[in-house]
């Protein structure tokens, strides 16, 4: 239960020893009572009646990891990483000088001098026989003003999908959250639904009607369905509407994605789109449906494209009413456009070829991430190894288009030394600023971090900001048939002028049980 200081990201390890309930540095004892403020905090923690641990940092940059007890953590003068999440007790964190990164539970007290703070916003409550407790993966999020809605898989199964789909909603730009699980979805839901398991949850928002939607892939023996759950406040959700259904002994649909036309000047303002891959024919295809009543009813599917591969489809309504759908094709990123509200589609165009270096033991498909700005410019990013000698590791690369038809050559965005994978891209529609969140693997076996970079124009990007405190190990993640899993996408949106990352955060297993939850970090 003792705290540890790790040699991570070039930080020099500091040897610690426990003496009389406090922690000493191997380079000499630094008094636990460095200041009157620290003394008062420690006394307060002990006066609560619960066992407590006091963890003091040094002047160096270091990782401070909490104990299962109620911790008082006082970081030192470096750029520190403080991890006190996932222990169900109220910890207190003070950061001091430097640019510090903290991961904490919602109940923890974190001082304002801690610059980057991620808090767990949901945990897996299911203990289903085929699920891996405690696991939550594959978050997506969307913001409308100060409201952010996130959704994710909860209780991940090795064979695919999850016990249920969770959600968490913030009304104050990502500072506080509340949520639960969608009702009437799977047999594990409350009230129970009919699907055996669910996957691929995605959030959309109909600004014309003020309705939030969550699209979910629902699977039962012999049946694949696409569900739409609806809410007017992001907290109370309806039983799902069935948008598509197919009876088959194998998975009929995959990687569904929903988006609504929220541009008041668009001739299709308020139309919501649902796009997905279809596997019911020998040649895969992309189908698109639309709804003009806030997701209550859906059109018959339109076959947008037939291809050897069409997966990771991302419907993007533009201000002029056109719909651009980037996706992963066979050996290249492609896009397709509709100018009549999804009734018909033009021929696919190539964004760029792609080269992908799989990460050993980690599920890391090179699916695109995309967004559109107020001028209608479309931005697409994905991880790619083209800029590395021998295609040894991946960077995040980036392409733009003014019309969704002609695309710029891919440009390298990240160059931070690791192998980057599964990015998320978001545009601040008020200013046109861009944000990119992504995972980075360093070392072998992987140590995984989540980072965020920003850009004013897409031409130059800020130095990546670390978001999580403690590097994640692959053995902390649930297994799948494609490798250990964080998700095939992560959440990122702008709210109150700053990007808010929503990601899957794994903590060290305890007692043989996994501890993977969803975290959110507003990044100033």
């Amino acid at each position: 239960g003792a705290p540890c200081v790790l040699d991570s990201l070039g930080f020099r390890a500091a040897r610690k020893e426990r003496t009389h309930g406090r922690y000493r540095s191997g380079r000499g004892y630094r008094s636990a009572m460095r200041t009157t403020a620290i003394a008062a905090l420690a006394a307060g923690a002990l006066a609560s009646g619960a066992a407590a641990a006091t963890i003091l940092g040094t002047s160096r940059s270091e990782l401070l990891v909490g104990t299962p007890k109620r911790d008082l953590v006082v970081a030192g003068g470096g750029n520190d990483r403080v991890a006190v999440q996932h222990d169900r007790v109220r910890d207190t964190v003070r950061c001091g000088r430097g640019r510090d990164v903290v991961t904490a539970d919602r109940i923890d007290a974190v001082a304002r001098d801690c610059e980057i703070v991620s808090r767990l916003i949901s945990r897996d409550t299911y203990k289903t026989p085929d699920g891996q407790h405690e696991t939550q993966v594959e978050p997506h999020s969307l913001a409308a003003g100060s409201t952010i809605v996130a959704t994710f898989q909860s209780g991940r199964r090795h064979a695919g999908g999850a016990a249920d789909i969770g959600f968490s909603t913030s009304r104050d730009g990502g500072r506080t959250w509340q949520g639960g699980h969608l009702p009437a979805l799977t047999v594990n839901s409350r009230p129970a639904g009919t699907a055996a398991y669910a996957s691929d949850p995605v959030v959309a928002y109909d600004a014309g009607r003020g309705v939030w939607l969550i699209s979910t892939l629902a699977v039962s023996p012999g049946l694949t369905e696409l569900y739409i759950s609806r809410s007017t406040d992001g907290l109370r959700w309806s039983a799902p509407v069935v948008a598509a259904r197919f009876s088959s002994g194998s998975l009929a649909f995959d990687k569904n994605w929903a988006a609504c036309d929220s541009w008041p000047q668009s001739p299709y303002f308020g139309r919501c789109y649902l796009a997905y891959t279809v596997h019911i024919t020998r040649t895969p295809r992309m189908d698109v449906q639309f709804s003009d009543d806030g997701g209550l009813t859906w059109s018959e599917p339109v076959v947008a494209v037939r291809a050897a591969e069409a997966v990771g489809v991302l419907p993007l309504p533009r201000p002029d009413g056109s719909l651009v759908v980037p996706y992963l094709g066979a050996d290249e990123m492609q896009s397709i456009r509709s100018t009549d509200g999804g009734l018909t589609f033009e021929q696919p165009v190539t964004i760029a070829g792609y080269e992908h270096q799989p990460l050993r033991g980690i599920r890391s498909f090179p699916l695109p991430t995309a967004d559109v700005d107020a001028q209608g410019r479309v931005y697409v990013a994905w991880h790619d190894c083209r800029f590395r000698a021998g295609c040894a590791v991946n960077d995040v690369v980036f392409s733009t288009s003014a019309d969704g038809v002609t695309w710029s050559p891919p440009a390298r965005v990240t160059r931070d030394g690791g192998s980057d994978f599964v990015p998320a891209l978001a545009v601040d529609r008020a200013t046109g600023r861009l944000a990119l969140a992504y995972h980075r693997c360093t070392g072998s076996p992987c140590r995984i971090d989540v980072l965020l970079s920003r850009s004013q124009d897409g031409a130059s990007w800020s130095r990546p900001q670390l978001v999580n405190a403690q590097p994640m190990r692959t053995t902390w993640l649930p297994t799948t048939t494609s490798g250990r899993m964080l998700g095939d996408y992560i959440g990122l949106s702008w709210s109150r002028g700053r990007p808010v990352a929503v990601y899957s955060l794994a903590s060290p297993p305890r007692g043989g049980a996994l501890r993977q939850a969803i975290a959110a970090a507003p990044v100033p």
Side-chain angles (χ1 to χ4, degrees):
C4 62
V5 181
L6 301 184
D7 184 9
S8 176
L9 296 181
F11 297 160
R12 241 174 36 177
R15 182 171 54 88
K16 301 252 178 173
E17 61 181 278
R18 186 170 186 174
T19 304
H20 303 304
R22 299 187 180 93
Y23 292 90
R24 296 186 178 188
S25 167
R27 297 182 59 187
Y29 179 63
R30 291 178 178 269
S31 171
M33 302 302 185
R34 288 186 299 180
T35 65
T36 303
I38 294 175
L41 285 167
L46 292 171
S48 68
T54 301
I55 303 170
L56 304 181
T58 70
S59 60
R60 297 184 297 274
S61 297
E62 55 197 346
L63 169 60
L64 303 172
V65 179
T67 74
K69 302 177 181 179
R70 181 173 296 183
D71 298 315
L72 167 63
V73 182
V74 183
N79 299 323
D80 296 310
R81 302 168 67 156
V82 181
V84 292
Q85 79 281 356
H86 232 121
D87 58 11
R88 301 182 187 275
V89 296
R90 183 176 172 85
D91 302 309
T92 299
V93 179
R94 300 289 183 267
C95 288
R97 298 187 306 276
R99 188 165 179 82
D100 304 302
V101 179
V102 178
T103 50
D105 293 311
R106 277 190 284 188
I107 63 173
D108 293 335
V110 181
R112 292 185 178 182
D113 60 2
C114 302
E115 286 77 14
I116 309 298
V117 180
S118 292
R119 291 187 184 270
L120 298 192
I121 63 172
S122 181
R123 294 176 67 168
D124 171 26
T125 59
Y126 293 105
K127 296 183 179 180
T128 54
D130 59 348
Q132 300 173 75
H133 183 70
E134 162 179 355
T135 59
Q136 291 184 320
V137 300
E138 200 163 78
H140 177 249
S141 62
L142 189 70
S146 295
T147 300
I148 308 171
V149 176
T151 186
F152 36 84
Q153 297 183 42
S154 192
R156 175 68 194 190
R157 301 166 68 249
H158 173 84
D164 203 355
I165 299 300
F167 73 92
S168 192
T169 297
S170 173
R171 296 291 194 86
D172 52 14
R175 190 175 66 86
T176 62
W177 298 77
Q178 54 183 317
H181 291 87
L182 295 180
L185 196 71
T186 73
V187 293
N188 303 299
S189 303
R190 296 179 184 175
T194 58
Y197 60 92
S199 187
D200 295 341
V202 174
V203 185
Y205 180 66
D206 180 354
R209 297 170 182 82
V211 176
W212 293 92
L213 311 177
I214 293 180
S215 165
T216 302
L217 175 67
V219 183
S220 299
L223 182 65
T224 306
E225 297 173 296
L226 294 177
Y227 285 168
I228 303 293
S229 302
R230 305 173 69 254
S231 174
T232 56
D233 60 6
L235 294 171
R236 292 165 295 184
W237 294 87
S238 67
V241 171
V242 178
R245 173 186 285 128
F246 192 82
S247 297
S248 172
S250 59
L251 188 69
F253 311 131
D254 196 15
K255 285 288 172 282
N256 47 289
W257 201 275
C260 298
D261 189 328
S262 296
W263 305 103
Q265 68 271 40
S266 166
Y268 302 105
F269 175 62
R271 175 165 289 187
C272 295
Y273 298 94
L274 177 64
Y276 49 94
T277 303
V278 180
H279 294 295
I280 62 178
T281 56
R282 184 180 297 273
T283 300
R285 72 179 195 233
M286 179 206 306
D287 279 6
V288 177
Q289 297 175 247
F290 61 84
S291 172
D292 289 326
D293 56 10
L296 284 171
T297 61
W298 291 83
S299 70
E300 291 297 313
V302 172
V303 179
V305 63
R306 298 181 189 270
E309 185 172 12
V311 67
V313 299
L314 299 168
L316 297 172
R318 299 175 66 239
D320 66 357
S322 62
L323 178 70
V324 175
V325 188
Y327 60 94
L328 175 64
D331 300 321
E332 61 183 22
M333 294 293 165
Q334 295 181 315
S335 70
I336 194 168
R337 185 176 70 171
S338 172
T339 58
D340 58 7
L343 295 176
T344 62
F345 286 84
E346 300 168 351
Q347 290 298 308
V349 298
T350 297
I351 299 174
Y354 77 88
E355 300 179 74
H356 165 230
Q357 182 58 245
L359 295 174
R360 180 176 297 179
I362 299 177
R363 180 177 168 122
S364 57
F365 302 140
L367 302 178
T369 175
D371 207 350
V372 60
D373 68 16
Q375 283 68 50
R377 177 168 289 276
V378 183
Y379 302 85
V380 177
W382 66 96
H383 66 257
D384 193 297
C385 60
R386 71 180 62 219
F387 292 107
R388 299 296 192 107
C391 211
V393 294
N394 301 304
D395 304 296
V396 178
V397 303
F398 177 80
S399 180
T400 72
S401 174
D403 57 9
V405 176
T406 303
W407 294 86
S408 67
R412 183 179 178 184
V413 176
T414 63
R415 51 185 77 233
D416 52 13
S419 189
D420 303 326
F421 65 102
V422 185
L425 179 72
V427 178
D428 182 357
R429 292 185 174 178
T431 64
R433 292 178 298 173
L434 306 171
L436 180 77
Y438 59 97
H439 302 88
R440 179 184 61 190
C441 163
T442 54
S444 181
C446 261
R447 298 190 303 273
I448 303 169
D449 286 309
V450 177
L451 298 101
L452 186 141
S453 184
R454 281 178 275 209
S455 176
Q456 294 288 341
D457 54 10
S460 61
W461 292 79
S462 67
R463 183 176 180 179
Q465 169 63 57
L466 187 70
V467 174
N468 63 303
Q470 187 175 17
M472 295 177 277
R473 304 281 180 161
T474 55
T475 53
W476 302 356
L477 312 180
T479 63
T480 74
T481 56
S482 304
R484 300 274 184 164
M485 185 175 187
L486 288 162
D488 297 336
Y489 38 84
I490 57 177
L492 181 66
S493 55
W494 286 83
S495 182
R496 293 185 173 181
R498 60 183 179 180
V500 180
V502 178
Y503 63 99
S504 182
L505 176 65
S507 303
R510 182 172 295 166
L514 296 175
R515 297 191 301 157
Q516 183 188 38
I518 301 300
V523 181

